[in-house]
Amino acid sequence: MANYKDIIAKFSDKPGGIIEAYHALQKEFNYIPPEAVEEAARVFKVSEAQAYGVATFYSYLSVKPRGKYIIRVCESAPCHIAGADEVIKAFERELGIKVGETTPDGKFTFEFAECVGQCEGSVVVTINSRPYHDVTVAKVPTLLAECR
Ligand code: FES
């Protein structure tokens, strides 16, 4: 696993590099660890509060530890109408966590997503950005079994 300092250093000369660095950090660790935010503040010469501000401004960035598998259920209108609520409840039941939480073993994080542009396959679920279409309550255990 790459070192967070090396990742940040790669973007240190770029304008707007802090956001690119955060993206790269999140790709590596699935979230932005607190020590990396402190390092980013130092490297990009902003206050720690500002560095946290950037990290928490974008909904796709997270400063909270996230699981190995990020499961997101699309909650926009077409998926909602197709039964996203039921699918969400099924994931919550199977995982034993609520939306926004991570399982204690660090394996799964469960989140909402906005329309991912594949409404013809409503309900759409993404697992680590890979989309799954026509997801129903009955398919939830199978999807999770693929990850386990
Ligand atoms: S509303 Fe879910 S993919 Fe568009």
Side-chain angles (χ1 to χ4, degrees), residues 74-80 114-119 122 124:
C74 174
E75 241 288 298
S76 294
C79 283
H80 186 79
E114 301 268 309
C115 178
V116 292
Q118 303 184 8
C119 318
S122 303
V124 179

